[in-house]
Amino acid sequence: MVQEYGLFIDGKWRKSEGKRFETRNPATGEVLATFPLATKDELGGAAHAAKGAFEKWRKTTAPRRGEILLEAARIFRRKKEELGRVVTTEMGKVIAEGRGDVQEVIDFYEYAAGEGRRMFGETVPSELPNKMCLTVRMPVGPVGLITPWNFPMAIPAWKSGAALIAGCPFVLKPSSLTPLCAAKLVEVLDEAGFPPGVVNLLTGSGSVVGDGLVAHPDLRVISFTGGVDTGRHVYETAAKKMIKVGLELGGKNPIIAMDDANLELLMDGVMFGAFGTAGQRCTASSRLIVHQKIYDQVVDDLAKRAEKLRVGNPIDEKTDMGPVASADQEKKVLEYIEIGRKEGDTLITGGKKLAGGVYDKGFFIAPTVFAVDRRKRLALEEIFGPVLSVLKAKDFDDAVAIANSVKYGLSSSIYTNDLRWAFRAMQELEAGITYVNAPTIGAEVQLPFGGVKETGPTDTREAGTTALDEFTYWKTIYVDYSGRLQRAQIDTAKLTGG
Ligand code: NDP
């Protein structure tokens, strides 16, 4: 029986006037549930509900907000297996990663709940006597959250956890490929006890619901994760409204392999970084930049290792790599493979859609490795699939130049046992994240996450305490308890004897 979902507005699941769409398992084609394409009126209703809930929610103390968030984390912990399976069946990542998606929700909700008892500001000395100066975080108001499909519970949780603890009611618009994961997340938040209007969910197309949220006059922040082109459009629309936006966009993340690297460790990292989540992570290791001295051996090892990966139904514990998430994703990745061929890149392994048996029902692509020239499109553009581009570098400086030659700057990595290269990479790689002797994936929730250049034009960071920056503004407070008028910059001269 396929479940029919409504929209979650003002504390209730509601029927929609809009048409419906299906969400499917990308490994089997099975329909999992149907969802409404929210109408403009319904969008207005959700934004209105969030606005209406703001006054009460911001006055609920942050530790109390944290308690409810902690309850949500507890429910997620209890339902981890069930929800991990939902992630895998709707999005297609292997079951260990499906559970990982849910674990990330638990981790961040617990972390954010703790922030309810911290949310530190500063106390700063005054230049005048009997005067106190401090800063406090204030919630910005009702907000809109727009999320992609590749971390279908974790990314909505990063955004919603930060908004909720900051005191901001939200309207979430998830990717149309993974509405079921978002609905399950909202069910948990409802069960945890958030007041009506604080949590709202709209499903529907990006161009109607997403765009409508960004333009809506009641929403004071838009937190967006997705592709660069959509992000640019969101940025422009939000600028017209003069509101704050958080943008987490694409990546073309490099691993640099120096000639002294531990090759076994490198190969384990590259397989996980390039083919984990079928390469559909914004932090995926999509470029491997190899020192010329070890290049031939690395290419040889790569082919052997990639060919050993077991591609199949992601719900099977033995599967290493599942399908890509949709027919469109499959088309895009196969187009890039074709571009590689046409531009003269050397195909080392893979390079095709898998067919026969279980493969005929889903979107399966062989783990693919190309040897690529640094000026070619496969070296520069985000593919977002199981395609690794290998590039040859003359030395460290050349490797860093190649790494920094793309428009993105999310994650980066170097494999070396030489401290000089490790520390220079930390300084010289243009990226929001640098790993040493680990691949470009593996973010932990207690640290800032985000990028530079076209990955992160707004310089916002999710996770860590920095997650609060998106949803709060700083208020500076001066308390003068001297009982007389004290004039900053003017009366100070007397006090210093000047
Ligand atoms: P998209 O940019 O296509 O979509 C992201 C979200 O935006 C979806 O909810 C989509 O809705 C919505 N959307 C689409 N058009 C508009 C619009 N005009 N106005 C407002 N919202 C809109 O990205 P994908 O979902 O395909 O995700 C893949 C991309 O996300 C990759 O480029 C990847 O690098 C990036 N990403 C970045 C991360 C980071 O932290 N830097 C993390 C994860 C992914 P709908 O689904 O209905 O079209």
Side-chain angles (χ1 to χ4, degrees):
M1 191 41 195
V2 172
Q3 195 172 351
E4 290 188 3
Y5 276 86
L7 304 168
F8 192 78
I9 300 174
D10 209 8
K12 285 204 173 66
W13 288 98
R14 295 167 196 274
K15 281 211 161 95
S16 163
E17 299 293 313
K19 291 191 180 136
R20 302 192 69 80
F21 67 99
E22 294 170 338
T23 177
R24 287 172 182 266
N25 182 332
T28 63
E30 176 201 1
V31 177
L32 301 171
T34 71
F35 283 86
L37 294 162
T39 63
K40 285 225 162 97
D41 279 354
E42 290 160 348
L43 189 155
H48 185 73
K51 187 180 180 189
F54 177 56
E55 220 23 55
K56 208 168 152 200
W57 186 238
R58 83 180 179 89
K59 287 182 181 158
T60 304
T61 63
R64 173 68 192 132
R65 298 197 292 255
E67 277 171 27
I68 311 177
L69 205 49
L70 199 55
E71 179 56 21
R74 280 194 203 105
I75 302 170
F76 266 102
R77 212 177 259 290
R78 200 174 67 229
K79 296 186 168 175
K80 181 174 170 184
E81 184 60 27
E82 174 198 332
L83 296 176
R85 294 177 93 81
V86 174
V87 171
T88 289
T89 45
E90 192 181 35
M91 183 274 158
K93 59 177 67 178
V94 293
I95 184 65
E97 292 177 357
R99 293 183 192 114
D101 220 81
V102 180
Q103 187 59 47
E104 210 164 317
V105 180
I106 299 165
D107 293 346
F108 190 66
Y109 278 180
E110 285 180 351
Y111 178 79
E115 220 24 66
R117 288 196 181 268
R118 285 186 295 265
M119 228 180 275
F120 299 132
E122 289 182 313
T123 54
V124 183
S126 171
E127 64 188 37
L128 293 160
N130 297 324
K131 191 175 171 191
M132 178 178 254
C133 311
L134 56 142
T135 61
V136 291
R137 286 189 186 271
M138 305 290 285
V140 287
V143 299
L145 316 177
I146 303 175
T147 53
W149 43 264
N150 62 339
F151 279 84
M153 281 196 203
I155 293 178
W158 280 23
K159 293 187 191 301
S160 60
L164 289 168
I165 201 67
C168 303
F170 68 82
V171 182
L172 167 65
K173 189 316 234 185
S175 163
S176 297
L177 286 181
T178 52
L180 183 57
C181 288
K184 294 285 179 195
L185 180 117
V186 164
E187 281 174 356
V188 173
L189 294 177
D190 185 30
E191 190 184 335
F194 287 97
V198 170
V199 173
N200 301 278
L201 172 73
L202 292 177
T203 50
S205 76
S207 52
V208 176
V209 182
D211 223 12
L213 282 183
V214 184
H216 199 284
D218 287 345
L219 302 179
R220 303 313 305 155
V221 162
I222 294 294
S223 181
F224 173 87
T225 299
V228 168
D229 291 342
T230 325
R232 182 174 287 114
H233 175 71
V234 168
Y235 203 8
E236 284 166 2
T237 313
K240 287 197 194 101
K241 238 174 86 182
M242 301 285 272
I243 59 162
K244 183 149 80 165
V245 263
L247 297 174
E248 292 297 342
L249 309 177
K252 187 74 181 171
N253 313 290
I255 291 179
I256 293 177
M258 291 303 292
D259 53 347
D260 66 308
N262 174 335
L263 289 191
E264 201 49 38
L265 188 67
L266 170 73
M267 221 40 75
D268 287 346
V270 172
M271 286 302 115
F272 184 48
F275 302 118
T277 326
Q280 302 165 113
R281 290 188 185 218
C282 46
T283 52
S285 311
S286 49
R287 292 182 293 158
L288 177 61
I289 303 168
V290 186
H291 192 287
Q292 56 181 348
K293 280 195 194 149
I294 55 166
Y295 180 84
D296 288 341
Q297 187 183 345
V298 166
V299 166
D300 208 41
D301 289 353
L302 273 176
K304 286 188 202 131
R305 291 288 296 261
E307 281 157 21
K308 278 200 195 128
L309 291 174
R310 288 162 300 195
V311 183
N313 191 327
I315 207 78
D316 181 346
E317 302 277 355
K318 292 201 192 79
T319 298
D320 295 314
M321 194 180 96
V324 294
S326 67
D328 282 350
Q329 264 297 105
E330 183 184 78
K331 183 163 169 276
K332 185 180 140 200
V333 174
L334 292 173
E335 274 168 12
Y336 266 107
I337 289 173
E338 210 34 51
I339 288 167
R341 284 210 176 84
K342 283 203 181 118
E343 288 199 339
D345 299 324
T346 309
L347 181 65
I348 293 165
T349 185
K352 59 177 189 286
K353 177 175 166 52
L354 295 169
V358 61
Y359 296 141
D360 288 343
K361 290 191 182 153
F363 311 114
F364 293 94
I365 296 176
T368 298
V369 181
F370 271 104
V372 174
D373 179 274
R374 66 185 71 188
R375 285 170 294 268
K376 298 288 174 59
R377 287 181 65 186
L378 259 54
L380 300 170
E381 297 176 19
E382 183 183 48
I383 301 172
F384 220 60
V387 180
L388 172 68
S389 301
V390 189
L391 298 110
K392 193 191 284 188
K394 288 197 267 308
D395 52 24
F396 175 83
D397 288 325
D398 191 34
V400 170
I402 297 171
N404 290 343
S405 66
V406 297
K407 66 181 183 180
Y408 300 106
L410 182 53
S411 189
S412 58
S413 147
I414 184 163
Y415 277 77
T416 181
N417 285 313
D418 188 325
L419 274 180
R420 288 172 306 162
W421 304 138
F423 276 87
R424 279 192 58 196
M426 291 177 221
Q427 296 290 328
E428 293 174 35
L429 287 170
E430 294 170 359
I433 305 166
T434 296
Y435 291 86
V436 178
N437 290 331
T440 54
I441 66 177
E444 298 182 30
V445 303
Q446 66 278 21
L447 289 132
F449 179 92
V452 297
K453 297 157 89 175
E454 289 196 14
T455 299
T458 49
D459 197 30
T460 37
R461 293 288 180 270
E462 298 198 282
T465 51
T466 44
L468 291 169
D469 295 342
E470 261 185 69
F471 302 106
T472 57
Y473 63 89
W474 284 110
K475 174 169 280 189
T476 306
I477 298 174
Y478 298 96
V479 184
D480 190 326
Y481 51 96
S482 67
R484 59 193 167 87
L485 173 66
Q486 299 199 90
R487 298 170 302 171
Q489 291 91 42
I490 295 169
D491 294 344
T492 42
K494 292 181 201 150
L495 296 170
T496 54

